[in-house]
């Protein structure tokens, strides 16, 4: 049954049409045209009714669609939130089993968190009483109002001025470091545009092949020992002019047996390779290398190539590096670039790849080209043995023995060359735990070294410019100031300025400058541009680890001298390993060695899989410093919301969420 017509609406509609018709008729008469209007009230009403019903149905479908989208979004967010809560609860239960002692640094952060929560509660009370808009006087009506009035006086006269001074100092340091980063990038573009690269003097002949010692230091690295030994043993270099030292510091007897068997296998294939194991593991990697260099036969060799256990040099590595020493008697080191087999494994490895791509392609290349000095990366490099002996050899006084020997060689007048087009495959740590321990060692060691060699730098015979570069750029700016201002400015000062608004942190320091610096850092790896925001936030998150390591190394606090081997998972390409085995088998068949003397490539892969299954059970964990800082930043974001500070609010919110994700160990490898 149809609805009865709406006579009131029809009357209103006919009047409107009549008015329009009168206007149209008058216009037509003035222009000389004849217009005829045929009206049908019944058909007009029916059309109007049809349009209205169609519009109502369309609106109903639109609203239903929006409700469906909202319900789907809420369900997704709810499931994600429940998943995060379950993961956090599981990790809290597992983390609460072994009690850990609280460091002084963590206790300071926890105290800062308690103060932030208290101040936020105080500010919420003031906000709801309207004191943010009309501050109370010192003649209040109640005690709370009096306390808040006194707090305003104290923070304006006593707390804000020193905080503003510290803020200004950190801003200046931030700008200086940004200028240094810009100068490095300009040097990088200069080298790229001019096509500059080191040159080789003369042609290489078989008679010119020098004696080369290849060292592979390792320690309980069950997952990766095979790939590194195999990659080194198939080097395209005369076997009679190369000796491989496998320097095993493993404390696990099963791993020792596996490595011995691997060495014996390659010995049967005619490779000159020996196995060395120290009974007393002193000095960590530096002590291991120092012990190996003390062998009598080392004097017969001119160069030494060093590869960590997860590195896989290409077969032409020695042919690509050794020729650069010819005709350069003052050249001590040829360093090559790292390439990563697992850079796309997870978000953590992608962010590490951005950092290391900038380090190698910009920092190492620019410093190597313009001043012939950079920090040795500890692996994937070739040293002149005479240079090692001239600067005192390996020392175990710090956890960065590679940087130590590079600085001492530079002070003795030796030069370095960096080859950006020669790459050596290796593996990035995939778990946040392994990455954090690696970064702690990499940032505490330079401060140990700076404290020990500062006087030696001043008394050395190098030029004043080289001394200034070592002290102010190499150590102070890039190793001390960078972690200091990064942590202080974005994790301490920024939250404090929310509770002490009299101290101002300009928005361009929070937004524009970090964004520009992140763009500069990401230029060498343009494929990583979609990760620029996570990279910026994650670098600020890592500043707490780097700052803690820097302070502990500078003042010999905590575990600054602790050496922990970075955990590897053996992410080498299995296809590459099979190719190595097939090529080696073909070479053995040509030379008359029976194939049965070695295991097949399939057996090699099966052994690797079995080795991966054996070992310590891994689990994710909680990180208390990161969690505490996440709550501090989120608390400060709520305070900034009360003051309607847009940029500061969003930065604090996203940075706090990033700290929370890292604190819950949700960024790297997830172990069920």
């Amino acid at each position: 049954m149809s609805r009865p017509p709406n006579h009131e609406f029809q009357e209103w509609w006919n009047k409107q049409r009549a008015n329009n018709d009168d206007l149209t008729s008058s216009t037509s008469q003035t222009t000389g045209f004849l217009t005829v209007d045929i009206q049908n009230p019944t058909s007009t009403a029916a059309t109007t009714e049809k349009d209205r019903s169609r519009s109502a149905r369309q609106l109903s479908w639109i609203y239903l669609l929006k409700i469906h989208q909202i319900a789907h979004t809420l369900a997704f967010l709810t499931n994600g939130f429940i998943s995060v809560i379950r993961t956090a609860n599981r990790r809290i239960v597992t983390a609460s089993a072994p009690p850990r002692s609280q460091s002084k640094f963590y206790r300071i952060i926890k105290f800062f968190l308690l103060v932030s929560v208290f101040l936020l509660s105080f500010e919420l009370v003031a906000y709801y009483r309207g004191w943010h808009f009309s501050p109370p006087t010192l003649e209040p009506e109640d005690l709370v109002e009096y306390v808040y009035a006194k707090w305003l006086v104290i923070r304006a006269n006593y707390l804000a001025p020193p905080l503003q001074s510290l803020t200004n100092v950190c801003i200046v340091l931030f700008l200086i470091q940004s200028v240094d980063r810009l100068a490095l990038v300009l040097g990088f573009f200069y080298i790229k545009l001019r096509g500059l690269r080191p040159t080789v003097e003369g042609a290489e002949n078989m008679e010119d092949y020098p004696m080369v010692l290849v060292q592979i230091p390792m320690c309980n690295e069950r997952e990766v020992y095979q790939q590194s030994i195999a990659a080194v043993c198939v080097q395209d270099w005369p076997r009679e002019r190369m000796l491989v030292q496998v320097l095993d510091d493993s404390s696990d007897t099963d791993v020792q047996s596996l490595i011995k068997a691997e060495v014996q296998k390659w010995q049967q294939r005619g490779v000159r390779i020996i196995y060395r194991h120290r009974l007393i593991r002193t000095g960590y990697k530096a002590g291991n290398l120092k012990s190996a260099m003390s062998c009598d036969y080392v004097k017969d060799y001119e160069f030494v190539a060093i590869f960590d256990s997860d590195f896989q040099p290409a077969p032409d590595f020695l042919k690509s590096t050794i020729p650069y020493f010819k005709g350069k008697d003052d050249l001590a080191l040829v360093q090559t670039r790292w390439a990563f087999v697992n850079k796309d494994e997870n978000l953590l490895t992608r962010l590490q790849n951005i950092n290391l791509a900038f380090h190698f392609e910009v920092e190492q290349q620019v410093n190597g080209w313009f001043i012939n000095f950079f920090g040795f990366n500890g692996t994937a490099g070739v040293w002149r043995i005479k240079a090692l002996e001239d600067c005192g050899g390996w020392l175990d006084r710090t956890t960065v023995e590679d940087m130590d020997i590079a600085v001492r060689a530079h002070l003795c007048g030796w030069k370095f060359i960096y080859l950006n087009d020669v790459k050596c495959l290796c593996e990035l740590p995939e778990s946040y735990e392994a990455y954090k321990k690696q970064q702690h060692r990499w940032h505490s060691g330079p401060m140990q070294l700076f404290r020990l060699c500062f006087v030696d730098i001043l008394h050395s015979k190098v030029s004043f410019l080289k001394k200034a570069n070592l002290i102010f750029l190499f150590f102070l700016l890039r190793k001390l100031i960078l972690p200091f201002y990064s942590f202080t400015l974005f994790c301490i000062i920024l939250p404090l300025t929310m509770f002490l608004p009299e101290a101002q942190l300009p928005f361009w320091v929070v937004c524009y400058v970090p964004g520009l610096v992140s763009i500069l850092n990401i230029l060498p790896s343009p494929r990583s541009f979609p990760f620029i925001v996570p990279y910026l936030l994650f670098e600020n998150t890592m500043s707490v680890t780097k700052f803690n390591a820097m302070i502990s190394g500078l003042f010999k606090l905590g575990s600054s001298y602790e050496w922990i081997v970075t955990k590897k998972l053996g992410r080498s390409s299995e296809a590459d390993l099979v190719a190595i085995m097939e090529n080696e088998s073909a070479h053995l068949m040509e030379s008359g060695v029976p194939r049965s003397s070695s295991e097949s490539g399939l057996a090699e892969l099966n052994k690797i899989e079995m080795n991966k299954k054996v070992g310590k059970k891994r689990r994710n964990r909680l990180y208390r410093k990161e969690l505490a800082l996440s709550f501090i930043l989120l608390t400060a974001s709520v305070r900034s919301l009360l003051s309607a500070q847009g940029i500061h609010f969003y930065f604090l919110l996203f940075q706090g969420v990033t700290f929370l994700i890292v604190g819950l160990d949700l960024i790297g490898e997830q172990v069920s």
Side-chain angles (χ1 to χ4, degrees):
M1 183 176 180
S2 61
R3 292 184 302 173
N6 190 339
H7 298 287
E8 295 180 357
F9 176 79
Q10 289 182 0
E11 292 176 359
W12 174 82
W13 179 261
N14 291 333
K15 289 180 180 179
Q16 295 296 323
R17 291 294 303 268
N19 294 334
N20 291 336
D21 292 341
D22 294 339
L23 180 62
T24 305
S25 299
S26 60
T27 306
S28 301
Q29 292 174 2
T30 56
T31 55
F33 289 97
L34 178 64
T35 60
V36 179
D37 181 34
I38 302 176
Q39 296 184 2
N40 190 343
T42 305
S43 62
T44 302
T47 304
T48 304
E49 190 72 22
K50 184 178 180 181
D51 291 341
R52 293 180 63 197
S53 61
R54 182 187 305 165
S55 299
R57 286 197 301 270
Q58 291 175 347
L59 288 175
S60 300
W61 282 108
I62 291 174
Y63 287 134
L64 287 175
L65 181 61
K66 289 185 176 181
I67 292 173
H68 177 74
Q69 292 175 344
I70 293 173
H72 179 74
T73 303
L74 290 176
F76 174 77
L77 294 176
T78 303
N79 291 334
F81 180 74
I82 293 175
S83 177
V84 171
I85 293 298
R86 288 177 177 175
T87 302
N89 182 59
R90 183 169 61 250
R91 294 178 185 176
I92 289 172
V93 171
T94 56
S96 60
R100 292 177 290 167
S101 60
Q102 296 183 359
S103 64
K104 294 181 179 178
F105 188 49
Y106 173 67
R107 286 197 290 266
I108 293 173
I109 294 177
K110 191 165 66 171
F111 173 77
F112 186 30
L113 172 60
L114 296 176
V115 173
S116 300
V117 173
F118 173 76
L119 290 179
L120 177 62
S121 304
F122 202 22
E123 294 294 341
L124 287 173
V125 172
Y127 180 82
Y128 285 111
R129 291 200 177 189
W131 295 337
H132 282 191
F133 308 101
S134 57
T137 62
L138 291 177
E139 297 179 357
E141 298 178 357
D142 56 10
L143 179 61
V144 177
E145 187 175 357
Y146 175 77
V147 172
Y148 187 75
K150 292 293 291 184
W151 162 245
L152 294 179
V153 174
I154 292 173
R155 79 183 191 187
N157 297 333
Y158 302 102
L159 298 181
L163 179 61
Q164 187 66 59
S165 301
L166 180 61
T167 302
N168 296 336
V169 170
C170 288
I171 291 175
V172 171
L173 296 178
F174 187 21
L175 295 177
I176 293 175
Q177 198 273 335
S178 302
V179 171
D180 173 65
R181 193 59 50 111
L182 178 61
L184 288 173
V185 171
L186 292 177
F188 160 72
F189 279 118
Y190 177 82
I191 293 173
K192 282 290 185 182
L193 295 176
R194 299 292 298 271
L196 304 176
R197 69 180 308 275
T199 57
V200 178
E201 296 184 5
E204 54 177 295
N205 299 315
M206 184 63 69
E207 305 84 43
D208 296 335
Y209 287 168
M211 298 290 286
V212 178
L213 181 67
V214 182
Q215 296 177 333
I216 312 176
M218 58 181 62
C219 178
N220 294 325
E221 293 170 282
R222 179 193 300 265
E223 295 82 4
V224 293
Y225 72 93
Q226 282 183 313
Q227 61 196 39
S228 59
I229 294 176
V232 168
C233 289
V234 299
Q235 283 294 304
D236 186 13
W237 198 261
R239 290 190 172 182
E240 65 277 4
R241 307 193 70 80
M242 181 181 74
L243 174 65
V244 180
Q245 285 182 320
V246 178
L247 311 177
D248 182 24
D249 258 3
S250 300
S251 57
D252 189 335
T253 55
D254 293 336
V255 177
Q256 295 177 25
S257 301
L258 290 171
I259 297 175
K260 285 180 183 178
E262 186 73 14
V263 170
Q264 291 173 0
K265 181 184 71 178
W266 287 100
Q267 287 175 342
Q268 294 174 2
R269 297 174 179 176
V271 178
R272 298 179 68 234
I273 180 172
I274 60 175
Y275 173 85
R276 282 180 55 87
H277 177 73
R278 296 190 301 161
L279 296 178
I280 302 176
R281 185 192 169 199
T282 58
Y284 302 110
K285 181 180 176 181
N288 199 0
L289 294 173
K290 183 178 181 180
S291 174
M293 294 299 294
S294 64
C295 298
D296 294 335
Y297 53 79
V298 173
K299 64 179 183 296
D300 299 327
Y301 294 84
E302 188 176 355
F303 303 103
V304 56
I306 303 172
F307 301 100
D308 283 350
S309 58
D310 61 314
F311 277 71
Q312 308 159 56
D316 63 344
F317 181 88
L318 294 179
K319 280 189 173 181
S320 302
T321 54
I322 297 294
Y324 288 92
F325 287 96
K326 186 176 181 180
K328 302 183 181 73
D329 295 335
D330 58 348
L331 181 61
L333 169 67
V334 173
Q335 173 72 56
T336 64
R337 182 177 177 175
W338 299 358
F340 310 106
V341 297
N342 61 336
K343 63 182 179 180
D344 296 326
E345 188 66 27
N346 54 44
L347 179 59
L348 179 62
T349 57
R350 292 177 185 271
L351 300 179
Q352 291 179 69
N353 180 60
I354 296 174
N355 257 342
L356 291 172
F358 183 88
H359 169 70
F360 282 103
E361 196 150 346
V362 178
E363 290 181 334
Q364 298 291 75
Q365 187 170 208
V366 170
N367 291 327
W369 180 260
F370 289 104
I371 60 178
N372 297 118
F373 168 72
F374 46 82
F376 174 46
N377 294 114
T379 178
V382 182
W383 277 91
R384 189 189 297 271
I385 294 181
K386 181 181 177 182
L388 291 177
E389 296 171 347
D390 183 44
C391 62
W394 298 100
L395 299 178
D396 57 0
R397 57 182 182 172
T398 70
T399 58
V400 284
E401 74 293 328
D402 44 11
M403 184 182 295
D404 187 358
I405 201 165
V407 171
R408 286 185 282 117
H410 181 59
L411 295 178
C412 291
W414 292 94
K415 295 182 179 180
F416 303 163
I417 282 180
Y418 172 75
L419 302 178
N420 191 59
D421 55 348
V422 180
K423 300 179 181 180
C424 189
L425 290 177
C426 62
E427 182 179 326
L428 290 166
E430 296 182 12
S431 68
Y432 180 68
E433 180 181 10
Y435 179 62
K436 182 175 181 178
K437 291 177 180 178
Q438 180 195 69
Q439 293 299 305
H440 188 277
R441 176 164 52 88
W442 285 4
H443 286 82
S444 65
M447 290 299 97
Q448 302 167 14
L449 181 60
F450 178 64
R451 177 169 38 82
L452 294 172
C453 71
F454 178 71
V455 177
D456 296 334
I457 295 174
L458 294 178
H459 294 164
S460 64
K461 297 180 180 179
V462 298
S463 65
F464 173 78
L465 291 179
K466 289 184 177 180
K467 292 180 182 179
N469 172 71
L470 269 177
I471 293 175
F472 295 107
L473 290 181
F474 186 77
F475 279 114
L476 290 181
L477 184 60
R478 297 168 188 167
K479 302 297 188 296
L480 188 150
I481 290 177
L482 177 58
F484 170 77
Y485 86 75
S486 182
F487 173 74
T488 307
L489 193 61
F490 296 109
C491 300
I492 300 298
I493 292 178
L494 179 57
L496 280 178
T497 55
M498 299 299 101
F499 297 105
L500 306 176
E502 291 80 6
Q504 296 292 326
L505 183 62
F507 70 91
W508 54 267
V509 176
V510 179
C511 182
Y512 296 148
V513 178
L516 291 175
V517 172
S518 298
I519 292 175
L520 295 178
N521 290 344
I522 216 167
L523 285 177
S525 53
R527 289 182 55 210
S528 301
F529 261 99
F531 302 96
I532 186 169
V533 174
Y535 170 74
L536 170 62
L537 298 173
F538 181 69
E539 280 301 291
N540 290 334
T541 305
M542 284 304 301
S543 65
V544 60
T545 298
K546 298 175 181 179
F547 177 82
N548 186 29
M550 182 267 293
I551 294 296
S552 63
L554 188 61
F555 299 104
K556 297 190 292 185
L557 303 175
S559 58
S560 59
Y561 284 91
E562 182 182 7
W563 179 287
I564 299 177
V565 177
T566 303
K567 183 66 177 177
K568 310 297 191 311
L569 299 179
R571 296 288 190 182
S572 64
S573 171
E574 295 182 351
D576 293 342
L577 187 55
V578 171
I580 289 175
M581 300 305 302
E582 290 178 350
N583 293 336
E584 184 61 21
S585 299
H587 175 75
L588 291 174
M589 293 298 291
E590 293 175 358
S591 59
V593 179
R595 181 182 177 90
S596 60
S597 63
S598 65
E599 299 176 3
S600 66
L602 182 59
E604 295 291 331
L605 295 178
N606 289 335
K607 186 186 294 185
I608 289 178
E609 292 302 320
M610 291 298 295
N611 291 340
K612 288 179 182 178
K613 295 177 182 178
V614 180
K616 211 170 181 182
K617 186 177 180 181
R618 304 191 309 273
R619 60 181 175 85
N620 294 101
R621 50 178 295 186
L622 295 176
Y623 297 95
R624 298 176 299 180
K625 296 186 186 71
E626 287 80 357
L627 287 175
L629 282 168
S630 73
F631 296 135
I632 290 173
L633 293 171
L634 292 175
T635 302
S637 69
V638 176
R639 175 63 182 88
S640 69
L641 188 62
L642 300 179
S643 303
Q645 294 178 326
I647 293 179
H648 296 75
F649 166 72
Y650 288 114
F651 185 88
L652 288 167
L653 177 63
F654 293 135
Q655 191 64 70
V657 171
T658 305
F659 266 104
L660 183 63
I661 293 173
V662 173
L664 294 175
D665 200 4
L666 297 173
I667 188 172
E669 180 192 25
Q670 300 300 302
V671 182
S672 59

